[in-house]
């Protein structure tokens, strides 16, 4: 594809995407294909001879689109938002167009330096501690996902407590990690990969509000210390995946400090709201955190993948991750004056992800972003009020931000029937969880184009369907 052909096809594809975004709410939100439907329509061998771009685009419409669940629909209320935006998509395109590999500062200085600057911007925007800014010992980096950020934090914690012996000699079998019973499953995976193992991840009980119980944590710490084990890592969650509950950072931070644990704060979803000063309450106690992550690819209009990860002490992270083979040596690295982000992450290679976040921040401005998030939170409050006044439904968790969890008063079967009926309609998409044995529907309001009329229409359908279950 020469540049002229690329220009023509590219313009056509941009038009196609713009048309799609314009009409996305007309599609049934959740794809209804059966397992294998899409594969069955694809040839089982690649073509021997090149094809026209038109043929690929036609197959996208014919074969691919029926298998798409429309995450960008304003009627998508399932799981969590993965909200994209025009500037985010354009940043993603530019990243592909430049096609740089940003593993070292030297392999594309702008890729590193823009990322450092944008992460400092984000730290200011979220009101994070000064110690996370790049002019200190700390700093930020873009990871693919919160799962990777948690794994990096755990590896840094492991090498800090073993003074490098984990990497050198293998992982000792006395390290223990702690999180609440509501923490994200990515911690369990990270603990397996880091050699901690399932048996040494403690799931601490939560209090009535869903946040971790600090007294239960302290009891677990003391029991482990008395058993001769070494508590090493504590993950606090701000906004749990099931019900968006908040762990109390302040007392958890004190316990982490007292017992020498690395405190990682997982704010993947809810942390985005901290760009609004009125939601910064969740960060109270952040002064003791060793690391923090948030996903602009969830609720900040930046296309997947984009997780922002900060550490208080970059040397602890780099010590865990750095390996310098001969073929990567270069004068800039040796000068010690540059950041080589390959030492802040698991893979070597890295994409130019800062572009899309930079575009998003500049397009909306912080006030523009706050306005959207505040509207989502206002709509969630309105929705919660409707549920509270409804005879068939019952709310099961407090609404702190943009997630409303509710159940059918007639029980789990009625709730399951309700969810199926709603999602089958194609007009909206919700997901579910379980809480104390109860089947719970989750209404997560956070898509870029979700407005009051979408939430009102969704409520009308939920209300009338609930009365028939
Ligand atoms: C979504 C979520 C994750 C996982 O995010 P990925 O970026 O997909 O790894 C982890 N923790 C919390 C609290 C989340 O909401």
């Amino acid at each position: 594809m020469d540049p002229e052909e690329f220009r023509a096809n590219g313009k056509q594809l941009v038009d196609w995407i713009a048309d799609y975004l314009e009409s996305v709410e007309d599609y049934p939100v959740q794809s209804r294909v059966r397992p294998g439907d899409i594969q069955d329509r694809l040839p089982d061998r690649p073509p021997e001879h090149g094809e026209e771009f038109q043929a690929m685009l036609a197959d996208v419409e014919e074969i691919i689109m029926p298998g798409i669940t429309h995450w960008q629909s304003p009627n998508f209320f399932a799981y969590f938002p993965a909200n994209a935006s025009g500037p985010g998509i354009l940043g993603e395109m530019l990243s592909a167009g430049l096609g740089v590999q940003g593993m070292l500062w030297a392999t594309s200085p702008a890729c590193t330096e823009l990322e450092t600057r944008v992460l400092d911007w984000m730290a200011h925007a979220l009101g994070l501690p000064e110690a996370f800014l790049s002019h200190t010992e700390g700093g930020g980096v873009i990871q693919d996902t919160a799962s990777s950020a948690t794994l990096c934090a755990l590896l840094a914690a492991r090498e800090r407590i073993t003074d490098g012996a984990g990497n050198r000699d293998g992982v000792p079998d006395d390290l223990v990690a702690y999180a609440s019973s509501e923490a994200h499953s990515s911690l369990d995976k990270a603990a397996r990969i880091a050699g901690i193992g399932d048996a040494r991840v403690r799931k601490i009980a939560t209090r009535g509000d869903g946040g971790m119980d600090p007294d239960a944590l302290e009891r677990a710490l003391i029991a482990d210390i008395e058993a001769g084990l070494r508590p090493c890592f504590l993950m606090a969650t701000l906004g749990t995946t099931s019900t968006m509950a908040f762990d109390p950072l302040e007392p958890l931070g004190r316990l982490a400090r007292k017992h020498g644990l690395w405190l990682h704060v997982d704010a993947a979803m809810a942390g985005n709201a901290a760009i609004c000063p009125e939601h910064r309450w969740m960060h109270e106690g952040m002064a003791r955190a060793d690391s923090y992550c948030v996903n602009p690819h969830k609720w900040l209009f930046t296309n997947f993948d984009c997780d922002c990860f900060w550490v208080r002490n970059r040397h602890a992270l780099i010590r865990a991750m750095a390996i310098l083979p001969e073929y990567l040596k270069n004068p800039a690295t040796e000068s010690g004056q540059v950041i080589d982000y390959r030492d802040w992450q698991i893979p070597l290679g890295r994409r130019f992800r800062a572009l899309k976040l930079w575009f998003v921040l500049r397009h909306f401005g912080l006030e523009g972003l706050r306005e959207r998030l505040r509207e989502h939170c206002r709509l969630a409050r309105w929705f919660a009020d409707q549920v509270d006044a409804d005879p068939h439904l019952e709310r099961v968790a407090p609404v702190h931000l943009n997630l409303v969890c509710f159940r059918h008063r007639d029980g789990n079967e009625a709730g399951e029937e309700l969810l199926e009926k709603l999602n089958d309609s194609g007009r909206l998409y919700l997901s579910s969880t379980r809480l104390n044995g109860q089947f719970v529907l989750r209404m997560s309001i956070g898509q870029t184009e979700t407005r009051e009329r979408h939430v009102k229409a969704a409520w009308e359908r939920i209300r009338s369907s609930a009365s028939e279950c």
Side-chain angles (χ1 to χ4, degrees):
M1 199 179 281
D2 62 31
E4 274 316 308
E5 205 183 342
F6 175 80
R7 192 189 311 278
N9 292 337
K11 285 180 177 173
Q12 192 187 354
L13 185 62
V14 168
D15 276 342
W16 190 96
I17 296 171
D19 289 346
Y20 170 68
L21 293 175
E22 216 166 45
S23 61
V24 64
E25 70 179 278
D26 300 333
Y27 290 86
V29 188
Q30 187 188 18
S31 169
R32 309 306 294 180
V33 299
R34 289 176 202 293
D37 278 358
I38 305 295
Q39 279 214 56
D40 287 347
R41 303 193 58 192
L42 297 164
D44 54 8
R45 295 285 185 281
E48 288 295 333
H49 303 286
E51 298 180 53
E52 290 298 315
F53 184 68
Q54 300 308 324
M56 302 171 211
L57 206 50
D59 281 353
V60 167
E61 293 192 353
E62 273 290 301
I63 303 172
I64 302 301
M65 292 310 282
I68 294 294
T69 287
H70 300 280
W71 282 73
Q72 300 313 315
S73 168
N75 299 313
F76 184 100
F77 303 110
Y79 307 106
F80 47 82
N83 57 22
S85 64
I89 297 167
L90 293 174
E92 189 74 70
M93 268 175 66
L94 181 56
S95 170
L98 294 173
V100 304
Q101 250 289 358
M103 56 196 180
L104 304 170
W105 178 88
T107 60
S108 234
C111 179
T112 295
E113 295 195 13
L114 179 66
E115 186 161 327
T116 305
R117 181 62 87 205
V118 167
L119 271 280
D120 280 349
W121 281 10
M122 282 295 292
H124 283 297
L126 297 165
L128 296 178
E130 170 99 17
F132 287 161
L133 294 174
S134 65
H135 70 269
T136 70
E137 294 287 285
V141 58
I142 300 181
Q143 302 277 343
D144 53 4
T145 58
S147 305
S148 291
T150 298
L151 175 56
C152 289
L154 183 56
L155 292 170
R158 187 189 79 185
E159 292 313 293
R160 186 174 78 174
I161 199 170
T162 63
D163 198 17
N167 278 342
R168 205 172 46 241
D169 309 323
V171 184
D173 64 3
D174 58 354
L175 305 179
V176 190
Y178 304 80
S180 98
S181 54
E182 291 293 310
H184 192 266
S185 59
S186 51
L187 175 65
D188 301 273
K189 202 186 261 190
R192 290 178 179 186
I193 296 168
I196 307 284
D198 292 350
R200 278 175 288 121
V201 177
R202 305 279 181 258
K203 298 293 174 60
I204 307 301
T206 56
R207 306 170 305 197
D209 65 358
M212 194 192 301
D213 177 355
D215 296 333
L217 172 64
E218 185 156 36
R219 286 194 296 275
L221 285 167
I222 289 168
D224 284 331
I225 292 165
E226 284 176 354
L229 298 173
R230 275 192 288 177
C232 148
F233 184 79
L234 170 61
M235 185 170 92
T237 307
L238 300 182
T240 58
T241 309
S242 223
T243 65
M244 204 176 267
F246 291 81
D247 288 345
L249 266 189
E250 185 73 46
L252 298 192
R254 262 184 269 120
L255 286 169
R257 201 43 80 83
K258 181 171 163 195
H259 296 286
L261 282 78
W262 181 289
L263 176 60
H264 174 59
V265 178
D266 175 8
M269 168 66 205
N272 290 295
I275 62 167
C276 305
E278 70 271 25
H279 297 311
R280 298 249 171 93
W281 49 265
M282 67 173 97
H283 284 170
E284 211 172 300
M286 270 294 288
R288 293 198 190 84
D290 292 289
S291 55
Y292 176 94
C293 77
V294 62
N295 286 351
H297 71 224
K298 277 185 168 156
W299 196 20
L300 215 61
F301 316 103
T302 308
N303 300 62
F304 188 85
D305 51 350
C306 183
D307 166 271
C308 295
F309 175 55
W310 288 269
V311 287
R312 168 178 302 278
N313 182 344
R314 69 175 77 175
H315 307 293
L317 178 64
I318 292 170
R319 180 184 192 186
M321 315 292 264
I323 292 180
L324 183 59
E326 201 54 42
Y327 47 79
L328 290 180
K329 286 188 178 156
N330 68 86
T333 297
E334 272 154 35
S335 78
Q337 290 181 347
V338 300
I339 288 177
D340 288 326
Y341 275 129
R342 73 190 182 96
D343 294 335
W344 298 50
Q345 62 174 23
I346 309 287
L348 169 62
R350 60 199 328 271
R351 312 196 304 116
F352 197 167
R353 295 193 192 90
L355 279 173
K356 57 189 170 188
L357 186 53
W358 189 44
F359 280 13
V360 166
L361 290 168
R362 293 182 65 182
H363 171 82
F364 289 95
L366 289 178
E367 262 313 307
L369 294 169
R370 288 184 195 115
E371 209 174 287
R372 300 263 168 152
L373 267 54
R374 282 173 178 146
E375 179 64 359
H376 293 153
C377 294
R378 183 187 75 80
L379 293 172
R381 270 255 51 96
W382 177 86
F383 185 90
D385 289 343
Q386 311 312 304
V387 171
D388 289 346
D390 190 90
H392 303 286
L393 300 172
E394 175 180 53
R395 203 149 54 76
V396 297
V399 176
H400 295 292
L401 299 170
N402 66 332
L403 177 70
V404 185
C405 294
F406 59 99
R407 64 182 285 274
H408 200 293
R409 287 179 190 272
D410 291 349
N412 291 354
E413 261 177 43
E416 284 169 40
E417 191 191 327
L418 172 60
L419 182 66
E420 201 176 309
K421 201 187 292 187
L422 293 171
N423 291 346
D424 277 349
S425 77
R427 300 321 308 158
L428 77 181
Y429 182 25
L430 275 70
S431 58
S432 63
T433 186
R434 257 175 210 278
L435 210 57
N436 307 318
Q438 291 184 330
F439 183 85
V440 172
L441 289 88
R442 298 169 72 263
M443 174 88 178
S444 162
I445 300 172
Q447 280 308 330
T448 312
E449 297 305 328
T450 299
R451 299 286 182 271
E452 185 172 290
R453 69 184 170 87
H454 302 106
V455 176
K456 288 204 156 152
W459 167 249
E460 191 45 41
R461 190 172 286 276
I462 293 167
R463 184 197 62 73
S464 66
S465 304
S467 67
E468 293 158 10
C469 285

